[in-house]
Amino acid sequence: MSKDTDRRAFLKGSVLLPALGAAACSPPATHQDDLAASAPAAATPAAADYKPAFFTPAEWAFVQAACARLIPNDANGPGALELGVPQFIDRQMGTPYGAAAAWYMQGPFFEGKPEFGYQSQLTPKQQYRLGIRAIDAWCAKTHGKVLADLDAKTQDDVLKQVEAGKVKSDDLPLDVFFTAFLLKNVMEGYFGDPMYGGNRDMAAWKMIGHPGARADFLEWVDKPAAYPYGPVDLHGRQA
Amino acid sequence: MAIRNKPVDVVIVGLGWTGAILAIELAKAGLEVLALERGEDQDTVPDWAYPKVVDEIAQSARNGLLQNLSKTTVTLRHDQADRALPYRQIGSFKPGTGVGGAGIHWSGVHSRVMPEELRLKSHVTERYGRKFIPEGMQLQDWGITYDELEPHFDRFEYVCGTSGKAGNIGGVKSPGGNPFEAARSREFPLPPLKDPPTSVLFAKATRELGYNPYSLPAANASQPYRNPYGCDIGPCNFCGFCSDYGCINYSKASPQTTILPALRQMKNFSYKTNAHVVRVNTASDGKTATGVTYIDGQGREVEQPAGMVVLAAFHLHNVRLMLSSKIGKPYDPKTGEGVIGRNFCYQVLNSINTFFDKSTYINPFMGSGGVGQAIDDFNADNFDHGPHGFIGGGVIWGRQTGAGPVRGIPLPKGAPKWGSSWKQAVKDNYLHTGRIEAQMSNMAYRGAFLDLDPTYRDAYGEPLLRMTLDWQDNDLRMSEFFGDKLNAIAKAMGATSASGRIIKRGDHWDTRAYQSTHINGGTSMGADPKTSAVNKYLQSWDVPNLFVLGANVFTHGICYNPTGLVGALAYWAAANIRDTYLKSPGPMVRT
Ligand SMILES: Cc1cc2nc3c(=O)[nH]c(=O)nc-3n(C[C@H](O)[C@H](O)[C@H](O)COP(=O)(O)OP(=O)(O)OC[C@H]3O[C@@H](n4cnc5c(N)ncnc54)[C@H](O)[C@@H]3O)c2cc1C
Ligand code: SF4
């Protein structure tokens, strides 16, 4: 199959759907409404003039600086900042995730053995608010400047210390903020579909050789060779 | 005053795998069947249509299909002396919600059970002697035999359109299949799926090591198929969005692909969604179920009278409903008496990532939930346990289930977690990383059990189910044995290195990282009402018009994945309800 026919068949779903015969219980004919409901969410890829909805200007500077260090722009490809990851995180704060809507958040809250996971009453939004404030305060005390104003080497050093639990705050455990929120969300934004605001032009997928939403490998799965096609995103764009 | 609905013959709590099976089989027997499902209605189109569903952020990172823990969850602790803490975020297990249940986002590995596991206590005693069973281990026979279940394993495989190759048909070894397999009555409905790179390397390596690799049975169809209910299933295209996802292709067996299209056409079947059942109601004699009470989508309490109640709400919820409805004697770990909550187990899983050089393409983004090559050389009692001194076994496999970068890119030991060298490492490794695993049994122990939490409540005001569980020495030594096997196989596969999780002595049950949703026990089946909650027909000993399905009826955590056995037990229970119970309702086993 040429790349083009492969693609066309792929989008039409003709290689995906089984023949719907006249069997007593074939899946029902698809209605227009159902088709509309099966479309992915609206695509709003990273915008150059994005204004954060959740983060304050100081927080926004922190998030941008952290993104630039956690996944830097280098010879292997663009970094988290270039791919719009700060926008991804800001937008996630406005989703049910930002408010921990699907987590059990009833008290009482106790610290426990690490094996029992997250036991804090802080939502992701609160984690960012308190976490950034505490790290910036520590930077100001230790280095005389907030994280965003430090040089790259010092920023790396601060982030490593936060990760290792060496930077303390009364408000929250900063190593948890770093690993379970900041770094986790940076990775999600970098590698998630561009419609969420990160991974601009699927550059992160191209870098590692991930074909994105292609989701059809019947003819390739038994071939241990380089997969020849570039990625597609949830809105059918190719890169 | 609660709203009171019109009575029905049967009310089924939960419309996932077991609920759908009981619903169709009992509706076919002519009963008026109503299923109550707490979640939303959902179907292949529109919910899992391409491209919407192949979204790692929505499905994997934000758990799109999973139980909303803000509504209800469980609490966890290692030991009776500890304070239990809530399972606040999804971690080591992933209960489903909505029509289809976990039957939507499961993977599809479709095994049976090794016959000796159903009579584990007798088998271990006969082969190794009573002293081989360590103090505190609560082994039990299940009160049922493999031969009784065989037609029902077969039935469920033919409903699912399972892909595989028989190793033993009617006691005659069948070349190309699993030589350790228990006898099956006929070939699988579909031939095995194509092998992805991880499985090819795994099969070659294990063969060289003298083991017997076979194609893991998969409820992911290798060819177009029409099942006995007339439902059409399409071939799996290895889309790589399988476990955590609904299938875009009508290929992964689920209630939606294999049962509901036929069930929905039956006039004596109906179902309600957003109906969260909080209690099984009993008559004043305590011996008859009169129906259930649920909270509807508007928050109203509704009573649903029924002549028969079936619990099909998944392990956790089946056990909790028994406890909160005060049916059966709650288990007391101090005395070892009581049955509800007894024998809580959780399958042990070791998982390692195998890294290859750049000439070896694994392409982990391709794959299917159930596809893989496996060995049973160390499964159940297929090897002599005498020299090793532990009870239990496991299946070792090289599966390729589909992996995307949001789900995490594994890296060799010592690799940084961020920065330029992390970026270099993900670029170098992503396409060249496979995964092999050992999935093992978990024995029942006196101190591992389920009860109601004294502190935490759910959004409906009901106490949460409390889990008390930790790894015991027997299981940890077994896990170390399997860890060694995994590392030797990784080496034989030509991996340049391996990293991952092997549970060792000193480790404790960790509820943060995904392990599996194979939690078992709590309402064990058996022949003795003192040690089991239900009889061999999954009928409550205390309330004979109540049937309890699910992996909660296991008396220990078996080696294989649970759903083949859970489904077979559901068909077995349905057949016996139809052929025996309905003719003369009442206890089917007299004690
Ligand atoms: C990620 C994942 C991968 C898996 N992979 C495999 C595999 O490869 N092989 C295998 O054998 N097994 C696998 N499993 C396990 C398999 O999904 C389960 O064994 C199977 O779905 C159990 O069937 P069930 O009917 O007991 O529960 P479910 O299918 O989960 O159905 C239970 C239903 O009951 C509903 N319910 C719960 N409480 C209530 C209530 N109070 N009132 C009303 N409704 C309620 C739920 O919403 C749900 O719809 C996997 C599970 C997961 C999560
Ligand atoms: S891998 Fe196959 S069975 Fe699984 S979701 Fe994709 S098409 Fe369906």
Side-chain angles (χ1 to χ4, degrees):
Chain A
M1 223 165 18
S2 77
K3 186 170 173 172
D4 249 36
T5 49
D6 176 25
R7 178 86 198 109
R8 239 179 286 130
F10 177 67
L11 277 182
K12 285 204 321 227
S14 55
V15 287
L16 298 174
L17 298 174
L20 305 183
C25 63
S26 293
T30 303
H31 299 292
Q32 283 307 324
D33 285 357
D34 287 346
L35 272 184
S38 69
T44 29
D49 56 353
Y50 183 80
K51 299 266 178 309
F54 171 73
F55 292 119
T56 64
E59 290 166 347
W60 190 235
F62 174 100
V63 172
Q64 292 187 326
C67 281
R69 295 321 305 154
L70 293 176
I71 308 184
N73 189 19
D74 61 19
N76 278 320
L81 185 59
E82 291 70 27
L83 297 197
V85 174
Q87 302 188 27
F88 168 85
I89 301 177
D90 186 67
R91 280 165 50 182
Q92 284 295 306
M93 293 303 113
T95 67
Y97 165 76
W103 299 350
Y104 183 80
M105 294 300 263
Q106 292 187 43
F109 292 87
F110 298 104
E111 266 180 46
K113 295 183 200 162
E115 287 93 341
F116 297 118
Y118 195 66
Q119 292 297 333
S120 163
Q121 62 178 323
L122 300 177
T123 64
K125 284 197 280 198
Q126 292 166 319
Q127 283 279 345
Y128 277 94
R129 198 120 279 164
L130 299 174
I132 294 172
R133 194 173 70 190
I135 296 170
D136 266 348
W138 186 86
C139 288
K141 201 172 98 209
T142 315
H143 298 289
K145 291 176 185 164
V146 296
L147 184 88
D149 296 335
L150 298 171
D151 62 60
K153 208 177 143 298
T154 315
Q155 286 173 335
D156 281 354
D157 181 60
V158 171
L159 293 171
K160 275 184 198 146
Q161 294 199 57
V162 172
E163 182 181 28
K166 291 186 183 139
V167 179
K168 303 275 186 216
S169 158
D170 287 342
D171 291 336
L172 75 174
L174 290 170
D175 52 345
V176 173
F177 164 63
F178 180 89
T179 304
F181 294 88
L182 182 60
L183 184 60
K184 182 168 181 283
N185 295 150
V186 166
M187 294 296 166
E188 289 168 356
Y190 192 67
F191 288 123
D193 192 90
M195 77 177 186
Y196 289 101
N199 195 8
R200 192 195 305 253
D201 301 329
M202 295 172 261
W205 290 346
K206 278 188 278 186
M207 179 182 85
I208 59 168
H210 180 65
R214 279 200 177 267
D216 178 17
F217 305 109
L218 188 56
E219 285 144 73
W220 298 97
V221 72
D222 52 353
K223 295 180 183 61
Y227 179 71
Y229 305 140
V232 212
D233 71 12
L234 285 171
H235 285 83
R237 281 177 294 244
Q238 293 186 57
Chain B
M1 261 282 285
I3 302 162
R4 199 163 189 271
N5 288 345
K6 186 170 97 21
V8 291
D9 294 333
V10 188
V11 67
I12 298 181
V13 182
L15 190 52
W17 259 136
T18 56
I21 293 170
L22 267 283
I24 194 162
E25 293 298 308
L26 297 183
K28 281 193 341 187
L31 299 176
E32 191 190 348
V33 178
L34 169 69
L36 298 175
E37 165 57 48
R38 67 172 173 187
E40 300 288 340
D41 207 353
Q42 44 189 1
D43 214 339
T44 306
V45 177
D47 301 286
W48 311 307
Y50 182 82
K52 186 175 89 164
V53 77
V54 300
D55 177 347
E56 283 196 284
I57 296 290
Q59 307 307 334
S60 290
R62 302 291 174 259
N63 306 316
L65 288 169
L66 306 188
Q67 172 173 322
N68 181 338
L69 300 183
S70 77
K71 294 249 172 71
T72 186
T73 185
V74 295
T75 65
L76 318 151
R77 58 181 181 171
H78 286 143
D79 187 89
Q80 287 170 65
D82 301 345
R83 174 178 23 224
L85 295 173
Y87 184 61
R88 295 188 182 277
Q89 297 178 353
I90 293 289
S92 71
F93 49 93
K94 299 181 173 176
T97 194
V99 173
I104 301 307
H105 65 276
W106 73 315
S107 305
V109 175
H110 192 168
S111 303
R112 295 185 169 192
V113 70
M114 292 304 280
E116 66 266 25
E117 285 206 79
L118 296 178
R119 50 187 302 278
L120 193 62
K121 184 175 186 187
S122 303
H123 177 85
V124 170
T125 314
E126 283 157 21
R127 183 162 178 190
Y128 302 105
R130 253 181 67 101
K131 292 220 178 77
F132 203 71
I133 304 173
E135 173 65 29
M137 188 188 283
Q138 221 153 244
L139 289 193
Q140 284 175 223
D141 291 353
W142 294 46
I144 193 164
T145 66
Y146 175 85
D147 290 343
E148 285 173 300
L149 284 176
E150 202 289 328
H152 307 281
F153 282 120
D154 177 84
R155 173 81 174 159
F156 189 42
E157 286 159 3
Y158 272 74
V159 165
C160 289
T162 298
S163 310
K165 175 82 190 80
N168 177 351
I169 299 180
V172 180
K173 297 271 176 214
S174 167
N178 171 13
F180 295 101
E181 187 176 76
R184 57 177 59 250
S185 45
R186 51 177 169 162
E187 190 42 275
F188 281 93
L190 293 177
L193 293 155
K194 292 200 234 182
D195 276 325
T198 306
S199 314
V200 172
L201 293 171
F202 179 88
K204 184 168 172 289
T206 49
R207 200 167 286 120
E208 282 164 12
L209 290 170
Y211 305 140
N212 296 280
Y214 67 95
S215 297
L216 204 55
N220 319 79
S222 60
Q223 290 178 4
Y225 178 73
R226 181 168 295 173
N227 82 1
Y229 297 125
C231 298
D232 282 334
I233 292 170
C236 164
N237 70 7
F238 302 90
C239 79
F241 296 88
C242 204
S243 186
D244 283 355
Y245 300 80
C247 178
I248 52 177
N249 260 345
Y250 304 93
S251 311
K252 174 165 61 173
S254 66
Q256 272 79 353
T257 55
T258 64
I259 297 175
L260 294 174
L263 184 59
R264 285 198 180 106
Q265 294 181 11
M266 299 185 72
K267 298 219 159 34
N268 53 339
F269 168 75
S270 59
Y271 64 107
K272 289 196 166 77
T273 52
N274 289 303
H276 183 99
V277 174
V278 288
R279 196 156 295 103
V280 177
N281 301 318
T282 44
S284 51
D285 65 358
K287 294 195 173 81
T288 314
T290 55
V292 300
T293 296
Y294 66 92
I295 310 296
D296 76 2
Q298 299 179 61
R300 299 176 304 185
E301 199 173 292
V302 185
E303 192 193 328
Q304 177 60 59
M308 192 196 294
V309 176
V310 175
L311 293 186
F314 186 69
H315 174 279
L316 307 171
H317 312 291
N318 292 335
V319 180
R320 194 189 55 177
L321 282 167
M322 292 295 277
L323 288 166
S324 48
S325 310
K326 300 191 165 54
I327 297 173
K329 188 172 175 197
Y331 175 69
D332 179 351
K334 295 198 176 62
T335 60
E337 282 170 17
V339 292
I340 312 297
R342 184 189 170 90
N343 288 3
F344 173 47
C345 304
Y346 188 10
Q347 243 174 356
V348 186
L349 187 89
N350 284 337
S351 179
I352 66 172
N353 306 300
T354 48
F355 302 97
F356 297 94
D357 63 36
K358 287 194 176 166
S359 65
T360 307
Y361 279 90
I362 300 293
N363 297 331
F365 50 85
M366 305 180 186
S368 174
V371 71
Q373 288 279 327
I375 58 165
D376 268 8
D377 298 71
F378 303 103
N379 201 3
D381 204 24
N382 296 344
F383 62 112
D384 182 7
H385 286 67
H388 307 296
F390 61 76
I391 296 172
V395 47
I396 304 179
W397 57 46
R399 281 163 68 194
Q400 191 163 323
T401 56
V406 173
R407 284 169 267 180
I409 302 179
L411 291 177
K413 268 189 204 121
K417 294 201 165 63
W418 50 276
S420 276
S421 17
W422 164 82
K423 219 168 144 198
Q424 184 70 47
V426 292
K427 189 175 174 217
D428 291 344
N429 284 289
Y430 176 62
L431 297 176
H432 313 286
T433 304
R435 189 176 69 212
I436 62 175
E437 294 175 321
Q439 180 187 264
M440 295 156 275
S441 55
N442 178 221
M443 293 304 127
Y445 295 91
R446 183 155 169 175
F449 65 100
L450 300 163
D451 64 358
L452 293 177
D453 192 276
T455 308
Y456 292 97
R457 291 182 176 262
D458 69 11
Y460 308 92
E462 297 288 322
L464 299 184
L465 186 74
R466 176 168 66 177
M467 298 178 161
T468 305
L469 177 87
D470 203 359
W471 307 131
Q472 304 298 317
D473 182 66
N474 173 82
D475 300 61
L476 291 167
R477 285 186 296 112
M478 169 188 69
S479 174
E480 289 176 3
F481 173 87
F482 277 91
D484 293 344
K485 299 283 177 250
L486 280 176
N487 283 321
I489 294 169
K491 212 161 150 206
M493 285 168 75
T496 49
S497 74
S499 73
R501 184 176 65 176
I502 288 169
I503 300 170
K504 297 190 197 64
R505 271 172 284 189
D507 287 347
H508 296 278
W509 177 35
D510 191 336
T511 68
R512 289 169 295 179
Y514 188 62
Q515 179 178 326
S516 82
T517 311
H518 308 165
I519 41 187
N520 319 118
T523 63
S524 296
M525 60 189 295
D528 180 356
K530 286 210 182 61
T531 54
S532 58
V534 296
N535 64 27
K536 69 190 287 191
Y537 306 108
L538 313 194
Q539 179 183 39
S540 160
W541 287 113
D542 300 277
V543 177
N545 65 338
L546 171 67
F547 290 81
V548 186
L549 304 169
N552 36 287
V553 306
F554 292 11
T555 76
H556 72 275
I558 63 168
C559 304
Y560 281 136
N561 304 56
T563 310
L565 180 53
V566 166
L569 284 168
Y571 275 106
W572 154 262
N576 283 288
I577 292 171
R578 187 187 59 220
D579 299 341
T580 309
Y581 178 83
L582 292 180
K583 292 187 183 127
S584 127
M588 294 158 83
V589 179
R590 302 264 170 198
T591 50

